[in-house]
mmCIF file of all heavy atoms in Angstrom:
data_model
loop_
_atom_site.group_PDB
_atom_site.id
_atom_site.type_symbol
_atom_site.label_atom_id
_atom_site.label_comp_id
_atom_site.label_asym_id
_atom_site.label_seq_id
_atom_site.Cartn_x
_atom_site.Cartn_y
_atom_site.Cartn_z
ATOM 1 N N LEU A 102 79.647 96.342 127.661
ATOM 2 C CA LEU A 102 80.767 95.512 127.228
ATOM 3 C C LEU A 102 80.788 95.351 125.710
ATOM 4 O O LEU A 102 81.836 95.572 125.055
ATOM 5 C CB LEU A 102 80.658 94.126 127.887
ATOM 6 C CG LEU A 102 81.991 93.448 128.227
ATOM 7 C CD1 LEU A 102 82.864 94.329 129.099
ATOM 8 C CD2 LEU A 102 81.740 92.127 128.912
ATOM 9 N N PHE A 103 79.674 95.026 125.108
ATOM 10 C CA PHE A 103 79.643 94.692 123.680
ATOM 11 C C PHE A 103 79.434 95.886 122.782
ATOM 12 O O PHE A 103 80.116 96.060 121.762
ATOM 13 C CB PHE A 103 78.566 93.647 123.370
ATOM 14 C CG PHE A 103 78.793 92.310 124.049
ATOM 15 C CD1 PHE A 103 77.762 91.640 124.670
ATOM 16 C CD2 PHE A 103 80.040 91.740 124.059
ATOM 17 C CE1 PHE A 103 77.981 90.408 125.281
ATOM 18 C CE2 PHE A 103 80.280 90.508 124.693
ATOM 19 C CZ PHE A 103 79.243 89.851 125.297
ATOM 20 N N ASP A 104 78.486 96.751 123.142
ATOM 21 C CA ASP A 104 78.150 97.888 122.258
ATOM 22 C C ASP A 104 79.093 99.083 122.456
ATOM 23 O O ASP A 104 79.582 99.646 121.472
ATOM 24 C CB ASP A 104 76.718 98.356 122.501
ATOM 25 C CG ASP A 104 75.685 97.272 122.187
ATOM 26 O OD1 ASP A 104 76.078 96.296 121.541
ATOM 27 O OD2 ASP A 104 74.545 97.388 122.614
ATOM 28 N N VAL A 105 79.355 99.434 123.705
ATOM 29 C CA VAL A 105 80.192 100.630 123.978
ATOM 30 C C VAL A 105 81.681 100.305 123.933
ATOM 31 O O VAL A 105 82.461 101.001 123.270
ATOM 32 C CB VAL A 105 79.764 101.235 125.325
ATOM 33 C CG1 VAL A 105 80.730 102.372 125.680
ATOM 34 C CG2 VAL A 105 78.324 101.770 125.272
ATOM 35 N N LEU A 106 82.082 99.223 124.587
ATOM 36 C CA LEU A 106 83.504 98.871 124.610
ATOM 37 C C LEU A 106 83.908 98.064 123.379
ATOM 38 O O LEU A 106 85.080 98.051 123.000
ATOM 39 C CB LEU A 106 83.810 98.091 125.904
ATOM 40 C CG LEU A 106 85.220 98.181 126.469
ATOM 41 C CD1 LEU A 106 85.642 99.613 126.682
ATOM 42 C CD2 LEU A 106 85.345 97.393 127.767
ATOM 43 N N GLY A 107 82.949 97.412 122.763
ATOM 44 C CA GLY A 107 83.233 96.667 121.516
ATOM 45 C C GLY A 107 83.915 95.339 121.729
ATOM 46 O O GLY A 107 84.604 94.808 120.832
ATOM 47 N N VAL A 108 83.754 94.742 122.923
ATOM 48 C CA VAL A 108 84.397 93.462 123.223
ATOM 49 C C VAL A 108 83.817 92.355 122.341
ATOM 50 O O VAL A 108 82.623 92.362 121.992
ATOM 51 C CB VAL A 108 84.187 93.125 124.711
ATOM 52 C CG1 VAL A 108 84.551 91.678 125.037
ATOM 53 C CG2 VAL A 108 85.016 94.074 125.566
ATOM 54 N N VAL A 109 84.697 91.392 121.919
ATOM 55 C CA VAL A 109 84.308 90.337 120.997
ATOM 56 C C VAL A 109 84.400 88.970 121.701
ATOM 57 O O VAL A 109 85.477 88.635 122.197
ATOM 58 C CB VAL A 109 85.233 90.351 119.741
ATOM 59 C CG1 VAL A 109 84.817 89.252 118.772
ATOM 60 C CG2 VAL A 109 85.202 91.722 119.072
ATOM 61 N N PRO A 110 83.315 88.197 121.729
ATOM 62 C CA PRO A 110 83.400 86.847 122.283
ATOM 63 C C PRO A 110 83.898 85.848 121.238
ATOM 64 O O PRO A 110 83.392 85.810 120.108
ATOM 65 C CB PRO A 110 81.957 86.518 122.674
ATOM 66 C CG PRO A 110 81.116 87.368 121.767
ATOM 67 C CD PRO A 110 81.933 88.585 121.357
ATOM 68 N N VAL A 111 84.934 85.049 121.627
ATOM 69 C CA VAL A 111 85.513 84.081 120.691
ATOM 70 C C VAL A 111 85.695 82.757 121.433
ATOM 71 O O VAL A 111 86.154 82.732 122.555
ATOM 72 C CB VAL A 111 86.898 84.563 120.139
ATOM 73 C CG1 VAL A 111 87.461 83.552 119.171
ATOM 74 C CG2 VAL A 111 86.758 85.908 119.479
ATOM 75 N N PHE A 112 85.335 81.650 120.749
ATOM 76 C CA PHE A 112 85.469 80.305 121.308
ATOM 77 C C PHE A 112 86.735 79.651 120.755
ATOM 78 O O PHE A 112 86.890 79.562 119.537
ATOM 79 C CB PHE A 112 84.263 79.422 120.949
ATOM 80 C CG PHE A 112 82.950 79.916 121.450
ATOM 81 C CD1 PHE A 112 82.144 80.740 120.690
ATOM 82 C CD2 PHE A 112 82.488 79.506 122.709
ATOM 83 C CE1 PHE A 112 80.918 81.161 121.141
ATOM 84 C CE2 PHE A 112 81.261 79.936 123.183
ATOM 85 C CZ PHE A 112 80.446 80.765 122.388
ATOM 86 N N PRO A 113 87.627 79.142 121.626
ATOM 87 C CA PRO A 113 88.760 78.364 121.113
ATOM 88 C C PRO A 113 88.303 76.963 120.749
ATOM 89 O O PRO A 113 87.732 76.254 121.561
ATOM 90 C CB PRO A 113 89.731 78.307 122.310
ATOM 91 C CG PRO A 113 89.154 79.246 123.352
ATOM 92 C CD PRO A 113 87.700 79.365 123.076
ATOM 93 N N GLY A 114 88.543 76.560 119.487
ATOM 94 C CA GLY A 114 88.249 75.207 119.052
ATOM 95 C C GLY A 114 89.415 74.297 119.330
ATOM 96 O O GLY A 114 90.518 74.745 119.625
ATOM 97 N N GLY A 115 89.176 73.002 119.235
ATOM 98 C CA GLY A 115 90.243 72.030 119.518
ATOM 99 C C GLY A 115 90.777 71.418 118.237
ATOM 100 O O GLY A 115 90.201 71.548 117.178
ATOM 101 N N ALA A 116 91.892 70.707 118.371
ATOM 102 C CA ALA A 116 92.538 70.075 117.214
ATOM 103 C C ALA A 116 91.647 68.965 116.630
ATOM 104 O O ALA A 116 91.729 68.657 115.465
ATOM 105 C CB ALA A 116 93.896 69.503 117.633
ATOM 106 N N ASN A 117 90.806 68.345 117.487
ATOM 107 C CA ASN A 117 89.930 67.263 117.013
ATOM 108 C C ASN A 117 88.483 67.728 117.068
ATOM 109 O O ASN A 117 87.640 67.106 117.686
ATOM 110 C CB ASN A 117 90.145 66.010 117.864
ATOM 111 C CG ASN A 117 91.589 65.578 117.872
ATOM 112 O OD1 ASN A 117 92.158 65.404 116.819
ATOM 113 N ND2 ASN A 117 92.175 65.401 119.044
ATOM 114 N N GLY A 118 88.197 68.876 116.486
ATOM 115 C CA GLY A 118 86.854 69.402 116.561
ATOM 116 C C GLY A 118 86.714 70.378 117.721
ATOM 117 O O GLY A 118 87.631 71.104 118.032
ATOM 118 N N LEU A 119 85.568 70.352 118.416
ATOM 119 C CA LEU A 119 85.323 71.331 119.485
ATOM 120 C C LEU A 119 85.855 70.879 120.826
ATOM 121 O O LEU A 119 86.024 71.684 121.727
ATOM 122 C CB LEU A 119 83.800 71.604 119.602
ATOM 123 C CG LEU A 119 83.079 72.047 118.351
ATOM 124 C CD1 LEU A 119 81.671 72.481 118.695
ATOM 125 C CD2 LEU A 119 83.829 73.202 117.662
ATOM 126 N N GLY A 120 86.065 69.562 120.991
ATOM 127 C CA GLY A 120 86.405 69.041 122.324
ATOM 128 C C GLY A 120 87.915 69.127 122.588
ATOM 129 O O GLY A 120 88.702 69.383 121.693
ATOM 130 N N ASN A 121 88.266 68.844 123.837
ATOM 131 C CA ASN A 121 89.671 68.756 124.184
ATOM 132 C C ASN A 121 89.944 67.338 124.700
ATOM 133 O O ASN A 121 89.076 66.464 124.681
ATOM 134 C CB ASN A 121 90.069 69.811 125.229
ATOM 135 C CG ASN A 121 89.256 69.689 126.532
ATOM 136 O OD1 ASN A 121 88.682 68.659 126.824
ATOM 137 N ND2 ASN A 121 89.226 70.763 127.306
ATOM 138 N N GLU A 122 91.193 67.127 125.157
ATOM 139 C CA GLU A 122 91.571 65.760 125.566
ATOM 140 C C GLU A 122 90.775 65.275 126.778
ATOM 141 O O GLU A 122 90.700 64.082 127.058
ATOM 142 C CB GLU A 122 93.077 65.691 125.833
ATOM 143 C CG GLU A 122 93.599 66.529 126.984
ATOM 144 C CD GLU A 122 93.850 67.991 126.591
ATOM 145 O OE1 GLU A 122 93.531 68.359 125.427
ATOM 146 O OE2 GLU A 122 94.326 68.753 127.418
ATOM 147 N N ARG A 123 90.171 66.203 127.526
ATOM 148 C CA ARG A 123 89.383 65.809 128.696
ATOM 149 C C ARG A 123 87.905 65.570 128.343
ATOM 150 O O ARG A 123 87.100 65.301 129.224
ATOM 151 C CB ARG A 123 89.476 66.907 129.776
ATOM 152 C CG ARG A 123 90.875 67.059 130.380
ATOM 153 C CD ARG A 123 90.894 68.046 131.521
ATOM 154 N NE ARG A 123 90.537 69.392 131.090
ATOM 155 C CZ ARG A 123 91.389 70.265 130.547
ATOM 156 N NH1 ARG A 123 92.644 69.887 130.339
ATOM 157 N NH2 ARG A 123 91.000 71.475 130.212
ATOM 158 N N GLY A 124 87.591 65.679 127.043
ATOM 159 C CA GLY A 124 86.217 65.430 126.613
ATOM 160 C C GLY A 124 85.306 66.614 126.804
ATOM 161 O O GLY A 124 84.077 66.497 126.625
ATOM 162 N N GLU A 125 85.857 67.774 127.176
ATOM 163 C CA GLU A 125 85.042 68.995 127.337
ATOM 164 C C GLU A 125 84.784 69.593 125.950
ATOM 165 O O GLU A 125 85.668 69.605 125.093
ATOM 166 C CB GLU A 125 85.766 70.019 128.218
ATOM 167 C CG GLU A 125 86.031 69.498 129.625
ATOM 168 C CD GLU A 125 87.014 70.393 130.379
ATOM 169 O OE1 GLU A 125 87.946 70.941 129.736
ATOM 170 O OE2 GLU A 125 86.875 70.499 131.613
ATOM 171 N N VAL A 126 83.577 70.121 125.757
ATOM 172 C CA VAL A 126 83.198 70.734 124.478
ATOM 173 C C VAL A 126 83.113 72.241 124.662
ATOM 174 O O VAL A 126 82.402 72.717 125.532
ATOM 175 C CB VAL A 126 81.827 70.186 124.002
ATOM 176 C CG1 VAL A 126 81.394 70.889 122.718
ATOM 177 C CG2 VAL A 126 81.923 68.667 123.773
ATOM 178 N N LEU A 127 83.900 72.958 123.861
ATOM 179 C CA LEU A 127 83.953 74.444 123.940
ATOM 180 C C LEU A 127 83.974 74.907 125.403
ATOM 181 O O LEU A 127 83.094 75.648 125.836
ATOM 182 C CB LEU A 127 82.783 75.083 123.190
ATOM 183 C CG LEU A 127 82.800 75.016 121.683
ATOM 184 C CD1 LEU A 127 81.637 75.832 121.112
ATOM 185 C CD2 LEU A 127 84.106 75.513 121.085
ATOM 186 N N PRO A 128 84.942 74.471 126.192
ATOM 187 C CA PRO A 128 84.912 74.825 127.620
ATOM 188 C C PRO A 128 85.097 76.321 127.871
ATOM 189 O O PRO A 128 84.669 76.822 128.914
ATOM 190 C CB PRO A 128 86.092 74.042 128.200
ATOM 191 C CG PRO A 128 87.010 73.767 127.048
ATOM 192 C CD PRO A 128 86.096 73.634 125.862
ATOM 193 N N ASP A 129 85.739 77.019 126.913
ATOM 194 C CA ASP A 129 86.065 78.429 127.142
ATOM 195 C C ASP A 129 85.387 79.347 126.142
ATOM 196 O O ASP A 129 85.138 78.950 124.979
ATOM 197 C CB ASP A 129 87.573 78.657 127.070
ATOM 198 C CG ASP A 129 88.303 77.878 128.150
ATOM 199 O OD1 ASP A 129 87.813 77.876 129.292
ATOM 200 O OD2 ASP A 129 89.372 77.284 127.846
ATOM 201 N N CYS A 130 85.110 80.557 126.599
ATOM 202 C CA CYS A 130 84.692 81.638 125.706
ATOM 203 C C CYS A 130 85.458 82.872 126.153
ATOM 204 O O CYS A 130 85.334 83.299 127.321
ATOM 205 C CB CYS A 130 83.205 81.881 125.790
ATOM 206 S SG CYS A 130 82.603 83.245 124.738
ATOM 207 N N TYR A 131 86.305 83.385 125.280
ATOM 208 C CA TYR A 131 87.155 84.544 125.612
ATOM 209 C C TYR A 131 86.455 85.843 125.184
ATOM 210 O O TYR A 131 85.896 85.894 124.072
ATOM 211 C CB TYR A 131 88.493 84.425 124.934
ATOM 212 C CG TYR A 131 89.453 83.486 125.640
ATOM 213 C CD1 TYR A 131 89.231 82.108 125.615
ATOM 214 C CD2 TYR A 131 90.557 83.943 126.342
ATOM 215 C CE1 TYR A 131 90.098 81.235 126.241
ATOM 216 C CE2 TYR A 131 91.447 83.079 126.963
ATOM 217 C CZ TYR A 131 91.194 81.712 126.928
ATOM 218 O OH TYR A 131 92.052 80.875 127.579
ATOM 219 N N LEU A 132 86.531 86.831 126.020
ATOM 220 C CA LEU A 132 86.050 88.167 125.694
ATOM 221 C C LEU A 132 87.263 89.022 125.417
ATOM 222 O O LEU A 132 88.010 89.350 126.349
ATOM 223 C CB LEU A 132 85.213 88.727 126.857
ATOM 224 C CG LEU A 132 84.038 87.892 127.293
ATOM 225 C CD1 LEU A 132 83.346 88.510 128.527
ATOM 226 C CD2 LEU A 132 82.999 87.725 126.173
ATOM 227 N N ILE A 133 87.500 89.352 124.173
ATOM 228 C CA ILE A 133 88.730 90.037 123.808
ATOM 229 C C ILE A 133 88.439 91.399 123.175
ATOM 230 O O ILE A 133 87.326 91.645 122.690
ATOM 231 C CB ILE A 133 89.619 89.149 122.879
ATOM 232 C CG1 ILE A 133 88.923 88.886 121.547
ATOM 233 C CG2 ILE A 133 89.966 87.853 123.578
ATOM 234 C CD1 ILE A 133 89.792 88.075 120.566
ATOM 235 N N PRO A 134 89.406 92.295 123.183
ATOM 236 C CA PRO A 134 89.189 93.672 122.698
ATOM 237 C C PRO A 134 88.750 93.723 121.248
ATOM 238 O O PRO A 134 89.075 92.817 120.464
ATOM 239 C CB PRO A 134 90.530 94.373 122.902
ATOM 240 C CG PRO A 134 91.223 93.580 123.960
ATOM 241 C CD PRO A 134 90.773 92.156 123.759
ATOM 242 N N SER A 135 88.014 94.772 120.896
ATOM 243 C CA SER A 135 87.618 94.954 119.522
ATOM 244 C C SER A 135 88.822 95.072 118.598
ATOM 245 O O SER A 135 89.894 95.482 119.029
ATOM 246 C CB SER A 135 86.747 96.215 119.355
ATOM 247 O OG SER A 135 87.494 97.355 119.715
ATOM 248 N N GLU A 136 88.654 94.658 117.343
ATOM 249 C CA GLU A 136 89.689 94.739 116.319
ATOM 250 C C GLU A 136 90.884 93.808 116.636
ATOM 251 O O GLU A 136 91.979 93.993 116.088
ATOM 252 C CB GLU A 136 90.183 96.186 116.108
ATOM 253 C CG GLU A 136 89.048 97.109 115.670
ATOM 254 C CD GLU A 136 89.498 98.555 115.482
ATOM 255 O OE1 GLU A 136 90.693 98.843 115.678
ATOM 256 O OE2 GLU A 136 88.645 99.374 115.098
ATOM 257 N N SER A 137 90.669 92.795 117.474
ATOM 258 C CA SER A 137 91.735 91.832 117.736
ATOM 259 C C SER A 137 91.926 90.949 116.519
ATOM 260 O O SER A 137 90.983 90.609 115.829
ATOM 261 C CB SER A 137 91.362 90.959 118.949
ATOM 262 O OG SER A 137 91.373 91.728 120.159
ATOM 263 N N THR A 138 93.169 90.538 116.317
ATOM 264 C CA THR A 138 93.494 89.631 115.201
ATOM 265 C C THR A 138 93.602 88.193 115.722
ATOM 266 O O THR A 138 93.584 87.947 116.933
ATOM 267 C CB THR A 138 94.833 89.997 114.576
ATOM 268 O OG1 THR A 138 95.881 89.856 115.578
ATOM 269 C CG2 THR A 138 94.830 91.468 114.076
ATOM 270 N N ALA A 139 93.744 87.257 114.794
ATOM 271 C CA ALA A 139 93.930 85.864 115.172
ATOM 272 C C ALA A 139 95.176 85.702 116.041
ATOM 273 O O ALA A 139 95.209 84.921 116.996
ATOM 274 C CB ALA A 139 94.042 84.992 113.927
ATOM 275 N N GLU A 140 96.225 86.467 115.720
ATOM 276 C CA GLU A 140 97.453 86.407 116.541
ATOM 277 C C GLU A 140 97.196 86.985 117.952
ATOM 278 O O GLU A 140 97.661 86.415 118.933
ATOM 279 C CB GLU A 140 98.591 87.184 115.850
ATOM 280 C CG GLU A 140 99.924 87.038 116.566
ATOM 281 C CD GLU A 140 101.035 87.768 115.848
ATOM 282 O OE1 GLU A 140 100.811 88.898 115.371
ATOM 283 O OE2 GLU A 140 102.143 87.193 115.769
ATOM 284 N N ASP A 141 96.444 88.082 118.030
ATOM 285 C CA ASP A 141 96.082 88.632 119.350
ATOM 286 C C ASP A 141 95.333 87.608 120.166
ATOM 287 O O ASP A 141 95.563 87.452 121.389
ATOM 288 C CB ASP A 141 95.192 89.864 119.205
ATOM 289 C CG ASP A 141 95.885 91.053 118.532
ATOM 290 O OD1 ASP A 141 97.139 91.123 118.677
ATOM 291 O OD2 ASP A 141 95.213 91.865 117.866
ATOM 292 N N PHE A 142 94.410 86.892 119.499
ATOM 293 C CA PHE A 142 93.639 85.863 120.156
ATOM 294 C C PHE A 142 94.556 84.773 120.700
ATOM 295 O O PHE A 142 94.395 84.286 121.831
ATOM 296 C CB PHE A 142 92.604 85.266 119.207
ATOM 297 C CG PHE A 142 91.818 84.120 119.773
ATOM 298 C CD1 PHE A 142 91.104 84.236 120.952
ATOM 299 C CD2 PHE A 142 91.832 82.890 119.125
ATOM 300 C CE1 PHE A 142 90.393 83.179 121.471
ATOM 301 C CE2 PHE A 142 91.101 81.796 119.650
ATOM 302 C CZ PHE A 142 90.391 81.972 120.819
ATOM 303 N N ALA A 143 95.560 84.396 119.887
ATOM 304 C CA ALA A 143 96.531 83.354 120.337
ATOM 305 C C ALA A 143 97.239 83.821 121.599
ATOM 306 O O ALA A 143 97.452 83.028 122.538
ATOM 307 C CB ALA A 143 97.538 83.090 119.211
ATOM 308 N N TYR A 144 97.631 85.105 121.645
ATOM 309 C CA TYR A 144 98.300 85.627 122.833
ATOM 310 C C TYR A 144 97.369 85.668 124.060
ATOM 311 O O TYR A 144 97.804 85.510 125.179
ATOM 312 C CB TYR A 144 98.877 87.022 122.564
ATOM 313 C CG TYR A 144 100.275 86.979 121.963
ATOM 314 C CD1 TYR A 144 100.471 87.321 120.627
ATOM 315 C CD2 TYR A 144 101.370 86.589 122.725
ATOM 316 C CE1 TYR A 144 101.740 87.277 120.042
ATOM 317 C CE2 TYR A 144 102.630 86.550 122.180
ATOM 318 C CZ TYR A 144 102.815 86.890 120.844
ATOM 319 O OH TYR A 144 104.090 86.833 120.304
ATOM 320 N N SER A 145 96.063 85.882 123.792
ATOM 321 C CA SER A 145 95.119 85.880 124.928
ATOM 322 C C SER A 145 94.969 84.488 125.515
ATOM 323 O O SER A 145 94.672 84.321 126.688
ATOM 324 C CB SER A 145 93.767 86.452 124.487
ATOM 325 O OG SER A 145 93.081 85.548 123.660
ATOM 326 N N LEU A 146 95.241 83.446 124.682
ATOM 327 C CA LEU A 146 95.204 82.064 125.190
ATOM 328 C C LEU A 146 96.412 81.808 126.083
ATOM 329 O O LEU A 146 96.292 81.278 127.191
ATOM 330 C CB LEU A 146 95.172 81.067 124.047
ATOM 331 C CG LEU A 146 93.976 81.125 123.104
ATOM 332 C CD1 LEU A 146 94.183 80.194 121.913
ATOM 333 C CD2 LEU A 146 92.677 80.775 123.827
ATOM 334 N N HIS A 147 97.596 82.198 125.593
ATOM 335 C CA HIS A 147 98.854 82.044 126.357
ATOM 336 C C HIS A 147 99.966 82.710 125.551
ATOM 337 O O HIS A 147 99.981 82.631 124.329
ATOM 338 C CB HIS A 147 99.169 80.565 126.568
ATOM 339 C CG HIS A 147 100.181 80.350 127.651
ATOM 340 N ND1 HIS A 147 101.528 80.528 127.466
ATOM 341 C CD2 HIS A 147 100.056 79.948 128.946
ATOM 342 C CE1 HIS A 147 102.211 80.251 128.561
ATOM 343 N NE2 HIS A 147 101.324 79.913 129.504
#
């Protein structure tokens, strides 16, 4: 996944630090394609 395919793990942060409105801290970690941009990451969220 990481070496051959080049997948990149990225954590979505929250507007008030790491948590969300439910009190969860960094609940998600996205595995997205190599060379993804910040905009690509936004699209992977929704």
Side-chain angles (χ1 to χ4, degrees):
L102 214 56
F103 297 135
D104 298 345
V105 173
L106 207 55
V108 168
V109 180
V111 181
F112 297 92
N117 304 307
L119 304 189
N121 59 20
E122 64 277 4
R123 294 186 296 278
E125 299 166 326
V126 176
L127 289 187
D129 297 318
C130 179
Y131 281 70
L132 303 175
I133 63 177
S135 62
E136 301 179 359
S137 292
T138 63
E140 186 178 41
D141 295 331
F142 175 57
Y144 274 108
S145 71
L146 298 174
H147 196 282

